[in-house]
Amino acid sequence: MTVAPEMTRWEGTLEELKGLVSPRALSGETVLLNMGPQHPSTHGVLRLLLEMDGETLVSIVPDIGYLHTGIEKNMESKRYEQSIVMTDRMDYLAPFSNNLVYCLAIEKLTGLDVPERAQIIRVIMAELTRLNSHLVWLGTHAIDIGAMSLLLYCFRERERILDLFEMLSGQRMMGTYFRPGGVWRDVTDEFLPELEKYLAYLPGKIDEYEALLTRNPLWIDRTQGVGIVTPEDAIAWGLSGPVLRASGVNFDLRKAQPYSGYETYDFDIPMGLHGDTYDRYLVRMQEMRESIKIITQAKDRLKKATGPFRSQDRKFVPPPRAELGTSMEAVIHHFKLWTEGFKAPKGEVQVMVEGPRGIISCTLVGDGTNKPARVHFRTPSFIHIQAIPLLAKDHLLADLVAIIGTLDPVLGDCDR
Amino acid sequence: MQPRDPVAAVREAFPGAVVEVVEFRGETTLVIQTDRIAEVATFLRDADGLKYNFLVDVTGVDYLPDYPRFGVLYHLYSMLTNRRLALKVRLGQEDDEDEALVVPSVTGVWPTANWQEREVFDMFGIRFAGHPDLRRILMPADWDGYPQRRDYPLGYETVQFSFNYDEIQKHKPFAKE
Amino acid sequence: MGVGQPQKTGNAGFLATTLEEMVNWARTGAMWPLGFGLACCAIEMMSTQASVYDLSRFGMELMRPSPRQADMIIVAGRVTRKMAPVLRRLYDQMPDPKWVLAMGDCCSCGGVFNNYAVVQGVDEIVPVDVYVAGCPPRPEQLIHGILTLHEKVRNENFSKWRRENAPARV
């Protein structure tokens, strides 16, 4: 039997691997195994070079950049409000969290106000995004470990969140709904009744998932004691979000440095004890319940809040359609905003929000024109993938799949 | 533990290291001498009353046409005192070669800086002295140039509409079976 | 012959058709795609497979992890310059006959990402049979694209079955 030529050819030299893998690999004592970039359980186009001793992982070298889209560079060539559409496509499981951090950065740079009603709508959407993201995480994490049916349940529940998104933003996934100074449009009539129905429906479903998994011996065997992170390591490696909290660090930006009025909501921060995959699972499940709590409060407030849904500062926010026919000033503002946008002052700001995966931070450098001089996003997936070798070292190959799943990376978020 | 003012503390511990203090929109940015960033970072992480234990973000900025051309921004956060601080170094004079753009690495202070500094190297060509594994991270290993620099072209291709359809179709590369 | 044959064939006992139609029908019946999810569109591709939209209705419930078991490839998401060689290699590893469905704007023409990193249309790397527009396309759109591909396969004629530049037999 002949071997296909592409399977025998080694592309690259062993020299390149020096320092990345142990010397045993170079002498052929351990096996080098390539996982990805096209692999069903790497959650995207993540490539991992694994050094295996039998079935034990000796070293892991992540290779990213297969989805590097040049979003940050592209945003520099677009006006501030034009590039909101790009932020959706970074972390495509949590589009509204990315919208939020970018809009908050613009608002901080320009000193723009956000009315209360807009903030409430933003909180509802950001928390729905968290639910959406956690549902996909649960489904894919479970299917990686072997619980196939969870994926089908989770996507059933997720479809209804996407319907809610569509009611407001007109798009299932990439809403681009948040704008500097507020949101694109007010909530529609059918949104609130549908949201109430969903809030009544979802908690029972989360109970069902927990009934399926939390005490399931197979699930516990695969997750408990796998990928332990100590609190010190977690902070030093910059882990955030549920991963950090599962290690027992009480840190959530919604409490520590509140934005968009999160300080006025009543919710708890779930924490883990051991920092293993099982605790991270428990933390995320509990977070979903807390999100439902926040949305329920926000929904009640939204009914009472009657103000405008976006800022009335006409230098940054376009006038409503109805004004265009009667006001010359409105026409001028509209024309200016649509032809050249607004100018932001010279300066550097940084804004952090708590996304579903962890801290999303946006660094925005303005140079006095209508385009940003530099936009940078610190994305949680980038930091978390960096920590895969820390978590997975000396584990079995099968545990690596659980560890990737529990970190919940999104490669679009990682590579940008 | 009493929180201390980071600006005064750094000025006291490292005389002459603080080039400038910028206050903008409630954020404090310390511009530090380029070769002293690692020691200042260590101090800010460990000193009592400061304890900036969480490195949020390392990012590069290209200030062209201003000189020094590049900046590296470090955003720190202290979980104990719930405060934020930004550090910045500036480097890159007009006649500097790429090899001269060197900043001390803070990987030894916060391990999370490892990949973020690699990204800055990949995107701006700024080298980090003492970095354990400085390779390209996002772009392919054989890529020419540093994409985030302001003089690097965006790589925009003309969009194909109906009026220029034939013209572009002629030059467009198409794959074979 | 087998025991149950008379029951199976019924009264007629035979079916007259052309080989071409028969093979094309069989090919559309269970077309297994390679799960090549890249970015946002991959999530919509998962939605299409999952409970609400249920792609299994069209005999496509099995996303193959290996290109060697796949009939078609759904390129879902933006293809970057770093990913392009990988995609071509996966395509080359697929056995004939093979079809390519480009899902989403980025994959069809570059979409909003007109820059240095993204390949402006995956047709520069692999020959595409069906383009599905949208950013990302709704699951209904993807299903429509797949049915369009089925339609295309059903109308293929015999001469197309052979690869045009297949190596000559010695």
Side-chain angles (χ1 to χ4, degrees):
Chain A
M1 186 187 141
T2 55
V3 183
E6 81 259 25
M7 294 187 72
T8 55
R9 195 173 63 233
W10 166 260
E11 287 170 0
T13 58
L14 284 176
E15 286 295 313
E16 287 172 18
L17 297 175
K18 256 185 195 159
L20 299 177
V21 294
S22 76
R24 289 162 66 205
L26 301 183
S27 64
E29 199 181 326
T30 52
V31 176
L32 289 175
L33 185 71
N34 192 35
M35 183 172 174
Q38 192 266 330
H39 191 280
S41 67
T42 51
H43 291 234
V45 284
L46 169 66
R47 177 175 169 235
L48 298 164
L49 182 66
L50 312 173
E51 185 192 347
M52 315 274 308
D53 185 359
E55 206 154 323
T56 314
L57 295 162
V58 180
S59 58
I60 301 130
V61 186
D63 184 8
I64 60 167
Y66 288 96
L67 203 54
H68 174 61
T69 322
I71 285 179
E72 288 170 8
K73 178 91 176 173
N74 222 335
M75 283 169 93
E76 288 169 20
S77 68
K78 286 181 183 288
R79 299 200 305 262
Y80 284 101
E81 76 279 12
Q82 279 180 325
S83 44
I84 303 172
V85 70
M86 301 224 155
T87 59
D88 285 305
R89 282 148 184 84
M90 289 193 319
D91 184 350
Y92 35 81
L93 288 180
F96 292 113
S97 298
N98 291 322
N99 277 183
L100 180 61
V101 68
Y102 185 58
C103 288
L104 285 176
I106 295 177
E107 281 149 16
K108 190 170 178 184
L109 185 66
T110 56
L112 188 58
D113 67 299
V114 184
E116 196 202 346
R117 189 174 168 85
Q119 298 216 0
I120 296 171
I121 301 174
R122 280 182 176 187
V123 167
I124 292 179
M125 292 308 262
E127 293 305 318
L128 277 177
T129 290
R130 193 180 311 276
L131 287 174
N132 167 20
S133 169
H134 281 1
L135 282 172
V136 176
W137 157 78
L138 181 63
T140 51
H141 185 38
I143 203 173
D144 281 351
I145 295 185
M148 169 86 193
S149 45
L150 253 285
L151 180 87
L152 301 173
Y153 295 145
C154 290
F155 268 75
R156 182 186 63 196
E157 267 71 83
R158 180 175 175 267
E159 283 298 326
R160 291 188 59 174
I161 296 185
L162 295 184
D163 288 347
L164 289 171
F165 286 173
E166 201 177 355
M167 281 173 195
L168 286 199
S169 66
Q171 243 269 35
R172 275 162 57 89
M173 279 171 73
M174 310 300 177
T176 322
Y177 180 61
F178 296 178
R179 300 293 156 91
V183 291
W184 171 51
R185 67 170 175 191
D186 208 347
V187 288
T188 48
D189 293 340
E190 76 268 26
F191 178 75
L192 273 178
E194 202 56 40
L195 179 69
E196 275 172 357
K197 263 189 242 163
Y198 188 68
L199 289 177
Y201 164 84
L202 188 61
K205 295 296 166 188
I206 297 177
D207 290 341
E208 268 179 31
Y209 306 150
E210 291 235 57
L212 276 172
L213 293 179
T214 306
R215 299 220 183 141
N216 184 336
L218 294 174
W219 182 260
I220 290 173
D221 276 356
R222 287 299 304 272
T223 54
Q224 249 174 15
V226 172
I228 296 176
V229 201
T230 61
E232 295 78 26
D233 272 353
I235 293 173
W237 283 84
L239 304 183
S240 52
V243 183
L244 180 66
R245 289 192 284 274
S247 294
V249 180
N250 185 359
F251 175 65
D252 189 318
L253 276 174
R254 291 175 294 174
K255 288 273 189 203
Q257 303 227 323
Y259 52 90
S260 292
Y262 267 112
E263 66 274 19
T264 56
Y265 295 93
D266 172 36
F267 63 102
D268 298 321
I269 305 294
M271 284 206 299
L273 276 176
H274 311 97
D276 59 359
T277 303
Y278 186 69
D279 276 16
R280 288 188 279 271
Y281 154 75
L282 290 180
V283 165
R284 285 202 178 93
M285 295 308 276
Q286 200 54 40
E287 261 184 23
M288 281 162 60
R289 295 176 200 278
E290 296 299 324
S291 286
I292 294 173
K293 238 160 93 181
I294 299 174
I295 299 173
T296 313
Q297 294 167 37
K299 173 206 74 186
D300 294 339
R301 278 183 210 183
L302 188 63
K303 285 183 184 160
K304 291 185 202 122
T306 45
F309 61 93
R310 58 186 174 194
S311 165
Q312 298 301 307
D313 192 339
R314 292 277 172 263
K315 297 288 175 223
F316 297 98
V317 179
R321 199 84 202 157
E323 257 179 50
L324 290 182
T326 54
S327 159
M328 190 63 211
E329 209 178 339
V331 175
I332 294 170
H333 280 138
H334 186 273
F335 179 76
K336 284 284 260 184
L337 276 173
W338 252 260
T339 50
E340 62 179 34
F342 54 82
K343 288 190 174 65
K346 198 170 172 164
E348 288 156 17
V349 292
Q350 186 237 0
V351 173
M352 299 195 278
V353 303
E354 183 79 31
R357 278 167 199 79
I359 297 175
I360 312 171
S361 140
C362 175
T363 308
L364 191 60
V365 180
D367 59 354
T369 62
N370 56 1
K371 291 172 183 170
R374 169 92 171 110
V375 194
H376 175 76
F377 289 93
R378 178 255 202 227
T379 48
S381 305
F382 184 76
I383 311 289
H384 287 180
I385 287 176
Q386 178 177 212
I388 287 180
L390 174 83
L391 268 74
K393 201 165 181 302
D394 300 329
H395 279 70
L396 298 179
L397 177 60
D399 289 338
L400 178 67
V401 174
I403 286 168
I404 297 174
T406 188
L407 289 175
D408 193 16
V410 167
L411 267 290
D413 189 35
C414 171
D415 297 345
R416 305 182 296 287
Chain B
M1 187 183 71
Q2 275 302 311
R4 276 158 62 190
D5 176 28
V7 183
V10 172
R11 276 205 170 121
E12 191 190 313
F14 301 94
V18 179
V19 181
E20 197 190 346
V21 180
V22 185
E23 293 275 349
F24 183 71
R25 305 272 186 229
E27 282 182 25
T28 313
T29 307
L30 291 181
V31 185
I32 308 283
Q33 277 183 350
T34 308
D35 47 351
R36 302 182 76 169
I37 181 71
E39 22 178 331
V40 172
T42 316
F43 172 74
L44 284 171
R45 183 194 62 177
D46 294 335
D48 257 353
L50 299 172
K51 295 276 183 204
Y52 287 93
N53 54 353
F54 194 81
L55 176 69
V56 179
D57 190 4
V58 179
T59 174
V61 186
D62 187 350
Y63 291 101
L64 202 73
D66 291 350
Y67 285 93
R69 183 175 162 183
F70 296 105
V72 180
L73 274 166
Y74 303 80
H75 290 111
L76 319 183
Y77 177 77
S78 165
M79 285 185 184
L80 289 102
T81 61
N82 193 14
R83 288 187 303 178
R84 289 148 76 162
L85 181 71
L87 303 180
K88 181 157 82 168
V89 297
R90 293 291 293 265
L91 71 160
Q93 293 306 329
E94 202 152 4
D95 45 356
D96 273 355
E97 295 289 317
D98 276 354
E99 281 69 29
L101 303 169
V102 180
V103 182
S105 168
V106 295
T107 318
V109 191
W110 298 283
T112 178
N114 188 324
W115 274 23
Q116 308 201 26
E117 288 183 343
R118 273 176 73 187
E119 192 195 332
V120 174
F121 165 69
D122 193 0
M123 291 293 147
F124 290 93
I126 298 169
R127 283 152 174 76
F128 289 88
H131 191 284
D133 177 28
L134 200 62
R135 290 176 293 133
R136 279 192 182 273
I137 183 165
L138 292 177
M139 305 306 296
D142 53 353
W143 193 264
D144 270 342
Y146 302 102
Q148 282 281 358
R149 289 190 178 181
R150 300 215 80 173
D151 51 4
Y152 188 92
L154 178 64
Y156 183 87
E157 284 179 23
T158 320
V159 180
Q160 193 172 19
F161 291 109
S162 46
F163 71 91
N164 57 2
Y165 185 88
D166 296 331
E167 196 185 327
I168 289 182
Q169 197 73 2
K170 234 184 288 171
H171 305 292
K172 209 174 169 196
F174 276 107
K176 295 203 175 64
E177 290 266 339
Chain C
M1 292 300 280
V3 182
Q5 204 191 19
Q7 284 88 349
K8 265 189 189 168
T9 48
N11 293 331
F14 63 90
L15 174 76
T17 181
T18 61
L19 177 66
E20 206 170 66
E21 262 179 40
M22 187 68 204
V23 172
N24 285 342
W25 168 80
R27 279 178 174 175
T28 54
M31 206 183 244
W32 286 357
L34 170 73
F36 193 62
L38 290 164
C40 336
C41 294
I43 308 297
E44 285 297 61
M45 191 166 76
M46 280 158 71
S47 294
T48 318
Q49 279 178 293
S51 18
V52 178
Y53 293 95
D54 193 12
L55 198 57
S56 328
R57 290 176 291 162
F58 308 99
M60 297 184 67
E61 72 273 29
L62 275 174
M63 283 277 174
R64 302 315 298 172
S66 161
R68 293 175 202 280
Q69 304 162 342
D71 300 307
M72 67 174 292
I73 179 169
I74 301 179
V75 187
R78 46 208 186 226
V79 179
T80 62
R81 304 252 179 238
K82 195 169 177 178
M83 196 64 193
V86 181
L87 170 62
R88 180 69 211 193
R89 190 158 165 178
L90 285 170
Y91 176 79
D92 287 342
Q93 285 176 345
M94 282 164 63
D96 277 328
K98 50 192 170 187
W99 295 276
V100 179
L101 189 144
M103 179 183 181
D105 280 351
C106 307
C107 175
S108 305
C109 65
V112 284
F113 303 112
N114 198 343
N115 61 27
Y116 64 95
V118 177
V119 175
Q120 300 298 307
V122 75
D123 46 10
E124 294 180 13
I125 305 162
V126 291
V128 177
D129 292 288
V130 175
Y131 298 89
V132 180
C135 192
R138 301 176 63 90
E140 292 96 328
Q141 278 175 290
L142 178 61
I143 291 173
H144 177 72
I146 285 168
L147 292 182
T148 312
L149 181 68
H150 284 183
E151 193 72 16
K152 186 178 172 175
V153 172
R154 244 180 248 129
N155 293 326
E156 268 182 11
N157 49 17
F158 189 72
S159 61
K160 273 260 186 83
W161 292 357
R162 288 172 53 232
R163 281 171 69 178
E164 277 163 26
N165 51 355
R169 294 211 175 176
V170 185

